[in-house]
Amino acid sequence: MGKGMEHKAGAVMILGGGIAGIQAALDLTGLGYFVYLVEKEAVVGGVMAQLDKTFPTNDCSL
Amino acid sequence: MSEQFSPKILGFLCNWCCYAAADAAGVSRYQYPPNLRTIRVMCTGRVDPAFIFRGFIEGADGIFTGG
Amino acid sequence: MEAGRSPNIKMLTNADFLGLEGKPGDFTAKLRLRPRYIDADNCTACGLCTQYCPRHHVDKYNEGLAMTRPIHIDYAQAVPATYYIDPGSCLYLQHETCQICVPVCQSHAIDFSQQPEELDLKVGAVILSPGFGKIGEKTLEQFGYNKHPDVVTSIEFERMTTASGPFQGEIKCFSDGRHPKRIAFIQCVGSRDLGCDNGYCSSVCCMYSIKEALVAKEHDPSVEITIYYMDIRTQGKEFDKARQRAENMGIKFVRAKVADVTPWKNNLRLTYSTLEARHSFAEFDLVVLSVGLESPKDAQGIAKIAGIELNRYDFCKTETFSPLTTSREGVIVAGAFQGPKDIPESVTQASAAAGLAAGLLTKQRGQGVVHKSYPEEQEMGDEVRIGVFVCHCGINIGAVVNVPQVEQSTADMEGVVYHTDSLYSCSQDAQEVLKQKIKEHNLNRVVIAACSPRTHEPLFQETLKDAGLNRNLIEMVNIRDQCSWVHATEPDAATDKSKDLVRMAVAKVRGMKSLPEQTVPVTPKALVIGGGIAGMTAALSLSDQGFESLLMEKGKALGGNLGLLNTTLAGDESADYLKGLVDRVRKSKLIHVVTEAELASLSGFIGNFSSVVASGSGAKKKEITFDHGVVVLATGGREHRPDLYLLGKNNKVVTQQELELQLAKTKKAPESVVMIQCAGSRGDDLSYCSKVCCNHAVKNALKIKELNPDAQVVVLYRDMRTYGFAEDAYREARLGGVVFIPYDVARKPEVYEKGKKLHVRFFDTILQEELDLAPDQVVLSVGIVPEGTQELSKLLKAPLTDEKFFLEAHVKLRPVELSVDGVYVCGLAHGPKPLDETIAQAQAAAAKAAIPLVKGAVSVAPIVSVVDQESCIGCGLCASLCPYQAIEMVKVDNKRKAQTIAASCKACGICASHCPSFSIAMGSFTNEQINAQIAAFGGVREKEKAEVA
């Protein structure tokens, strides 16, 4: 396969699509930057997506 | 009585919690009786008591607000 | 999750990180994308392929507790919402047979010809957030894991308790499916354990164990739960309260080390030894291992490729004063890879990392982002022309609801000029059809009967905008999630319900109007309140991003509490750092420092605040008015001075802060010291844990031992909360001869004077006897209280916690924002925390505050409230009820009238439902519209009813 090349001025790469990666990505777009969110698994979400409720308020985590 | 009573229920669902929960119930394929007809609002704070009276006037047997 | 929709986030899943060359501002990252074998553009996530796939596959998402198929999606809300094929178990990819899924897929999305692709990305900065790894099975096997089916990990237990999990939330033993009556949690599995080379504390396990125990107790109140622990580390904000709740609900906490878990008849037997070295046994049905957080599995690989250094535990190496900076410039770290941490800490670091990356790339800001443009909005005309589109969603709706019947039922409804059905209304081609039909039939209102507006309304609104219609002219009817899926066995009733819901929606859209898109301009400046480390860091971070701020400090000098510290636990010289920080603040052209400052007034709302800052005193007193778009609260806190243990009465009783200064000044250590932890905290004057005192005590104890190795140091504590990597210092102190003795809250130590001597009497829980010592000094760990939050809370109408710290908008997901828009919080004003967390939080607050400043305008969802000032009677009820302070009372022609502050309104509608003169309209949820919906619900001749409404 051919080698792809992407160029967006001032883009940021985020390695890891868990809660930290997703939050950083959303904030960076808010701050005016293009983001590549790179995740080794087939879906983003990380461990937090496996949790049902969160401490200490037992809110839903999804 | 040959026919079972099947109430007509009108529901006001908060977009952020109860409506979301009703969606989640669907995603998990929970089965519940099909008597409910819903109106989505952005918050149950929007529900004027007049809406509830009007619902009864229109023939609702019960009114549900979820938020 | 919003990230899936942003045009400025490109998700690259199934991606391997291969290389990183270049320098900040000009990196080239090399990636390899493994194929999904499913075309994301065509996949509609209908799930048919999974039903037909003949192979079984262990479900990793459910921790192996369930089976799925090689072709699957982890969970219904997954992003991207595209199925994928696991090549490891797919029959075609392994053995070139099967391919049943290919013809099954109605949207022809399956493509086995996909190959791995390599990709180079040009990026200016890199954020590493790979998360954490799992504790090795060998460590778990010490506690019977893999040997007995009823020993499970906490994350397996979490999936078990989840209502949407593999057991629908039923908790049962794997051995025979019975419901456990006695459950044990074993803490610190794979943490605080040099045996598996994890000397650190994982910082989250105590919290999740309590949560899981509470959830299990809710499921079955009769279940007996015991948590075996060394220290319960619930040091976070409001966390001790949850622990208290757990104790009140009957969950038992036993301070003991578990030696072994062995089978015992049908059950499990736990062997444990308590503090006083007594061995005991207990029988349980189910044992949950509270597993710690390990460094990510590929940490070394990532470090090598990214060119960064790791610490001794293979987490990313960082410093106290630059908690997110790696050893390579331009590479920033966030989340658990920086050290074990919980969700709010991770979210905070993520925002901070975004801000740091933005600070590196200010010149390129806005250049790479995509701005979409839309055609001009069409005039609607007076005639109501409704189009109804009913979706089959493949077989999701179509197999239950009679879609053609529903569609036909709209034919004679008033105003409906077009109606049709479609297989997938959300698909790309259906969107084109929608646009085309709007033009062709001159539609000015649209009803889509399909799935949930919560997930799909934004998509259809985009399409409307593309078609030149106002985006509010659409109403979605949820006949999938809330109809076909939940009435799968009653197709007739489901069809009737769909017809009713569609009729109600048609009634509603008749009254829909175009709503203007509102934006409010933003003054691109910030007011930072508090000149301690949090405030200075926030102001500098904003200045790095190119934004002006006014930094106000009530004292004479900048520095706050940092000026009172000498070194950090990691051994950094804080004075040097502070001096450097103050210099940078003073030199920055974008930061205006005002000392001896007081906030005389503050008014306005996000984007448009105006403050009056008074400074100086006497003849030099002056006031300045400052207009700003955002506020950062960094008002800090101070040491609490409890009237306990003779503090302030005997000069040999000092606080940890005083001891630190004394040690630094005299360079001499006392011969004997007794430290008392939680003096006044966790139940006495302060209900909460101050998070930093245990570290402070360990730091000072080590300093004493360094100055005087023979000194006797005894630390009396309740739980040593040296979480994270601070555990290493705690271990070092113990090895260095510092004596740590836990005390029971029912038997607190006593400090008294006898002649000239100071005495401490306490019950030694290890020796099980009462001891009396006469140390040179008694040092109290006293905790932290917030300063000045109450006044600011009133001024800003921002809520506080019971303990008078600012209450964040959402404790997990919006940890630095307040519920009042445009106001952010960091440092001790938010809650007690150590330096590194304060710095990260200040950077996060600055990043969040910069978002509206970058945008230059706050956009307002058009569904906000609008007051009809003609009929408003000026009673002010709405203004008093609004939970967001979004209504103000103004004078119009000398009459009191209510007015919405659109930028603050959240569209909840409380004002509208309480208005006695019906003068408040909610966009898209007007009284007329809701009444029309109710009338349509009644189903009586609608026209008549509409007239009544």
Side-chain angles (χ1 to χ4, degrees), chain C residues 901-915:
Chain C
I901 303 167
S904 304
C905 178
K906 294 276 185 294
C908 72
I910 288 175
C911 51
S913 67
H914 286 82
C915 178

Side-chain angles (χ1 to χ4, degrees), chain C residues 676-880:
Chain C
I676 302 176
Q677 300 302 105
C678 304
S681 295
R682 295 182 63 191
D684 285 338
D685 321 6
L686 311 178
S687 60
Y688 52 90
C689 164
S690 286
K691 217 177 179 183
V692 301
C693 330
C694 284
N695 288 355
H696 206 170
V698 167
K699 180 178 80 176
N700 282 345
L702 283 169
K703 188 77 193 171
I704 292 172
K705 282 288 185 184
E706 182 197 312
L707 294 170
N708 180 1
D710 295 329
Q712 187 195 39
V713 184
V714 177
V715 181
L716 303 177
Y717 70 97
R718 286 174 59 187
D719 293 286
M720 279 309 286
R721 292 181 165 175
T722 47
Y723 60 97
F725 300 121
E727 183 69 14
D728 283 341
Y730 176 36
R731 189 179 316 101
E732 192 191 328
R734 284 197 318 261
L735 293 174
V738 178
V739 181
F740 290 86
I741 302 171
Y743 70 84
D744 189 351
V745 70
R747 268 180 111 163
K748 283 183 190 150
E750 263 178 82
V751 178
Y752 66 99
E753 285 163 333
K754 196 172 165 190
K756 283 188 173 170
K757 288 238 163 181
L758 185 67
H759 282 256
V760 183
R761 187 161 52 211
F762 61 97
F763 183 74
D764 186 328
T765 45
I766 298 167
L767 298 174
Q768 289 290 307
E769 61 184 36
E770 187 148 287
L771 293 183
D772 194 307
L773 299 176
D776 292 345
Q777 266 185 320
V778 169
V779 185
L780 304 181
S781 291
V782 288
I784 293 171
V785 286
E787 272 191 296
T789 51
Q790 274 164 292
E791 296 79 6
L792 274 171
S793 157
K794 278 186 206 127
L795 210 54
L796 289 162
K797 294 184 185 148
L800 297 178
T801 65
D802 293 345
E803 288 82 25
K804 311 286 177 262
F805 292 102
F806 283 108
L807 178 65
E808 54 273 44
H810 186 290
V811 289
K812 294 282 157 205
L813 302 175
R814 294 170 68 197
V816 297
E817 295 160 81
L818 297 189
S819 61
V820 182
D821 280 348
V823 185
Y824 309 86
V825 66
C826 56
L828 301 182
H830 160 271
K833 59 180 65 64
L835 276 173
D836 51 345
E837 289 171 29
T838 293
I839 293 170
Q841 209 183 18
Q843 288 167 340
K848 285 288 187 191
I851 292 174
L853 305 186
V854 166
K855 289 216 172 97
V858 189
S859 59
V860 182
I863 52 175
V864 296
S865 68
V866 179
V867 182
D868 173 19
Q869 293 188 333
E870 281 285 291
S871 57
C872 173
I873 54 170
C875 67
L877 190 63
C878 48
S880 70

Side-chain angles (χ1 to χ4, degrees), chain C residues 129-424:
Chain C
S129 53
F132 56 88
K134 283 182 179 167
I135 300 293
E137 300 223 330
K138 238 176 117 188
T139 307
L140 309 184
E141 279 166 8
Q142 289 171 10
F143 298 98
Y145 187 77
N146 278 349
K147 294 178 196 152
H148 197 289
D150 296 338
V151 180
V152 299
T153 66
S154 45
I155 192 135
E156 288 166 355
F157 190 71
E158 175 94 28
R159 291 310 303 158
M160 216 192 297
T161 58
T162 307
S164 59
F167 304 146
Q168 285 84 45
E170 208 182 329
I171 300 169
K172 48 189 181 184
C173 294
F174 283 103
S175 56
D176 55 5
R178 73 181 189 280
H179 293 270
K181 285 287 149 204
R182 291 158 302 173
I183 304 176
F185 281 82
I186 304 177
Q187 298 304 108
C188 300
V189 174
S191 307
R192 303 178 70 184
D193 178 5
L194 286 178
C196 61
D197 202 30
N198 285 353
Y200 55 86
C201 160
S202 291
S203 307
V204 300
C205 328
C206 286
M207 274 66 81
Y208 74 59
S209 298
I210 292 173
K211 174 193 77 175
E212 292 183 1
L214 282 169
V215 170
K217 201 85 180 159
E218 273 167 26
H219 281 257
D220 177 3
S222 73
V223 67
E224 287 170 29
I225 301 176
T226 311
I227 299 181
Y228 293 93
Y229 71 98
M230 289 197 269
D231 296 283
I232 288 290
R233 294 185 168 170
T234 44
Q235 61 273 340
K237 190 174 174 180
E238 308 271 299
F239 288 5
D240 263 333
K241 284 184 187 166
R243 180 212 165 139
Q244 201 55 53
R245 206 162 62 232
E247 273 183 71
N248 296 345
M249 279 187 71
I251 291 163
K252 273 196 285 179
F253 290 83
V254 176
R255 191 192 290 267
K257 195 97 173 118
V258 175
D260 207 0
V261 180
T262 46
W264 179 259
K265 292 180 216 153
N266 272 336
N267 299 328
L268 291 161
R269 190 171 76 159
L270 234 80
T271 312
Y272 63 94
S273 79
T274 51
L275 208 58
E276 62 273 20
R278 257 189 231 130
H279 288 263
S280 309
F281 305 101
E283 217 178 298
F284 290 97
D285 300 314
L286 185 71
V287 171
V288 183
L289 306 180
S290 298
V291 289
L293 310 189
E294 176 91 54
S295 60
K297 201 170 108 198
D298 44 353
Q300 295 194 352
I302 292 170
K304 205 168 153 206
I305 297 165
I308 56 154
E309 282 176 45
L310 298 178
N311 72 11
R312 60 173 287 204
Y313 298 119
D314 278 355
F315 286 88
C316 184
K317 189 176 172 188
T318 59
E319 307 292 334
T320 309
F321 293 121
S322 51
L324 306 182
T325 312
T326 69
S327 54
R328 183 165 177 185
E329 213 193 327
V331 180
I332 301 153
V333 65
F337 185 39
Q338 190 259 350
K341 62 180 54 62
D342 60 7
I343 297 163
E345 289 292 321
S346 296
V347 170
T348 303
Q349 286 199 342
S351 297
L356 289 178
L360 288 172
L361 304 168
T362 32
K363 286 202 186 98
Q364 286 108 315
R365 184 164 62 213
Q367 289 175 16
V369 293
V370 182
H371 297 284
K372 240 192 119 178
S373 59
Y374 301 95
E376 213 165 301
E377 266 181 35
Q378 309 282 313
E379 282 294 323
M380 275 174 65
D382 291 334
E383 191 195 352
V384 173
R385 299 185 64 85
I386 303 171
V388 181
F389 299 79
V390 187
C391 179
H392 289 263
C393 195
I395 57 165
N396 279 300
I397 296 169
V400 179
V401 172
N402 188 330
V403 172
Q405 250 191 46
V406 174
E407 181 230 316
Q408 283 307 322
S409 74
T410 63
D412 51 1
M413 287 183 198
E414 187 199 333
V416 175
V417 296
Y418 180 77
H419 52 94
T420 185
D421 58 352
S422 76
L423 190 56
Y424 289 107

Side-chain angles (χ1 to χ4, degrees), chain C residues 98-124:
Chain C
C98 183
Q99 296 207 62
I100 285 174
C101 50
V102 178
V104 165
C105 179
Q106 295 177 9
S107 47
H108 310 293
I110 295 163
D111 176 7
F112 280 113
S113 70
Q114 290 183 357
Q115 295 294 323
E117 256 180 90
E118 284 203 0
L119 185 68
D120 280 351
L121 301 180
K122 284 284 205 190
V123 293

Side-chain angles (χ1 to χ4, degrees), chain A, chain C residues 7-15 17 29-31 34 36 60-61 63 74-75 79 84 118 120-127 129-130 132 155 158-159 162 207 211 239 242 245 343 350-351 354 358 361-362 364-369 545 812 847-848 850 854:
Chain A
M1 282 298 271
K3 205 164 153 180
M5 185 70 149
E6 294 254 359
H7 193 154
K8 300 257 185 198
V12 178
M13 178 177 88
I14 299 175
L15 191 67
I19 182 67
I22 293 171
Q23 185 63 54
L26 290 172
D27 287 343
L28 274 164
T29 60
L31 290 165
Y33 299 89
F34 192 87
V35 175
Y36 298 103
L37 186 57
V38 178
E39 167 60 47
K40 65 179 189 309
E41 302 295 336
V43 293
V44 299
V47 185
M48 187 162 166
Q50 284 187 310
L51 306 182
D52 180 24
K53 292 173 174 158
T54 56
F55 188 87
T57 49
N58 284 15
D59 277 352
C60 180
S61 74
L62 271 169
Chain C
N8 289 312
I9 299 176
K10 184 162 181 182
M11 286 199 205
L12 300 163
T13 50
N14 265 349
F17 178 40
K30 194 185 281 295
L31 300 176
R34 280 168 276 124
R36 291 180 93 87
K60 271 196 268 175
Y61 170 70
E63 290 292 315
D74 280 355
Y75 49 101
V79 177
Y84 64 97
E118 284 203 0
D120 280 351
L121 301 180
K122 284 284 205 190
V123 293
V126 175
I127 295 173
S129 53
F132 56 88
I155 192 135
E158 175 94 28
R159 291 310 303 158
T162 307
M207 274 66 81
K211 174 193 77 175
F239 288 5
R245 206 162 62 232
I343 297 163
S351 297
L361 304 168
T362 32
Q364 286 108 315
R365 184 164 62 213
Q367 289 175 16
V369 293
Q545 294 181 63
K812 294 282 157 205
K848 285 288 187 191
V854 166

Side-chain angles (χ1 to χ4, degrees), chain C residues 353-516:
Chain C
L356 289 178
L360 288 172
L361 304 168
T362 32
K363 286 202 186 98
Q364 286 108 315
R365 184 164 62 213
Q367 289 175 16
V369 293
V370 182
H371 297 284
K372 240 192 119 178
S373 59
Y374 301 95
E376 213 165 301
E377 266 181 35
Q378 309 282 313
E379 282 294 323
M380 275 174 65
D382 291 334
E383 191 195 352
V384 173
R385 299 185 64 85
I386 303 171
V388 181
F389 299 79
V390 187
C391 179
H392 289 263
C393 195
I395 57 165
N396 279 300
I397 296 169
V400 179
V401 172
N402 188 330
V403 172
Q405 250 191 46
V406 174
E407 181 230 316
Q408 283 307 322
S409 74
T410 63
D412 51 1
M413 287 183 198
E414 187 199 333
V416 175
V417 296
Y418 180 77
H419 52 94
T420 185
D421 58 352
S422 76
L423 190 56
Y424 289 107
S425 352
C426 59
S427 65
Q428 205 64 47
D429 49 327
Q431 300 288 305
E432 288 306 318
V433 171
L434 176 58
K435 270 188 246 178
Q436 205 187 312
K437 294 296 171 195
I438 290 172
K439 294 222 167 78
E440 196 180 315
H441 298 275
N442 206 9
L443 304 177
N444 53 21
R445 297 187 184 44
V446 174
V447 171
I448 310 263
C451 50
S452 176
R454 289 176 48 84
T455 52
H456 281 74
E457 199 176 52
L459 175 80
F460 290 108
Q461 288 186 334
E462 281 288 308
T463 309
L464 251 64
K465 276 161 91 178
D466 282 340
L469 275 185
N470 185 278
R471 68 177 164 123
N472 300 290
L473 296 169
I474 180 188
E475 178 70 6
M476 280 189 79
V477 188
N478 193 339
I479 57 168
R480 188 183 75 173
D481 308 42
Q482 299 185 10
C483 190
S484 69
W485 278 354
V486 290
H487 311 308
T489 56
E490 296 163 277
D492 292 341
T495 303
D496 284 345
K497 180 173 174 178
S498 302
K499 284 184 198 165
D500 284 352
L501 291 173
V502 170
R503 190 175 66 244
M504 288 160 70
V506 168
K508 181 180 175 184
V509 290
R510 266 186 221 125
M512 290 256 190
K513 295 197 172 66
S514 287
L515 299 174

